[in-house]
Amino acid sequence: VKPFSFAELLARVRTILRRGRTGMEPTSMKVADLELDLLRRRVTRSGKRIDLTAKEFGLLELLMRHPGRLFSRERILANVWGTHEDPLTNVVDVYIRRLRSKIDEGQGRALIHTVRGLGYRLE
């Protein structure tokens, strides 16, 4: 009855379907020294808290749910922004750069990697 965003509806349906497939959803995830707390919506690396925007958090969550898996820009757009975004936009590149500056800078080991022409992965 209320006005709503179709992209938000799709995101909520995907979340419900994903929960149905996997049973209990994890409340936190960890890759190397990077930790993501889904309940508190907090991210830490080497014990240091990292503040992220909602989209940055969503992008990091996608990458952390599938460590080592390669995600194309189009797949990231579909999963984080919804399917209505222009696939030629550089929004994914911008958000990956922001995540790298917050997560990888000043660390001995980079976790976010680019595979030229194909996409991004976290490992």
Side-chain angles (χ1 to χ4, degrees), residues 47-67:
K48 182 182 174 188
R49 187 172 173 182
I50 301 169
D51 294 320
L52 299 178
T53 66
K55 290 293 184 194
E56 291 167 345
F57 190 91
L59 176 55
L60 182 61
E61 179 183 354
L62 174 69
L63 295 172
M64 287 187 76
R65 282 189 184 277
H66 311 281

Side-chain angles (χ1 to χ4, degrees), residues 8-25 61 65:
E8 182 177 355
L9 175 65
L10 284 174
R12 289 176 187 251
V13 168
R14 280 192 208 107
T15 300
I16 290 169
L17 290 173
R18 191 171 50 236
R19 285 184 191 147
R21 279 195 307 255
T22 61
M24 291 291 294
E25 285 291 306
E61 179 183 354
R65 282 189 184 277

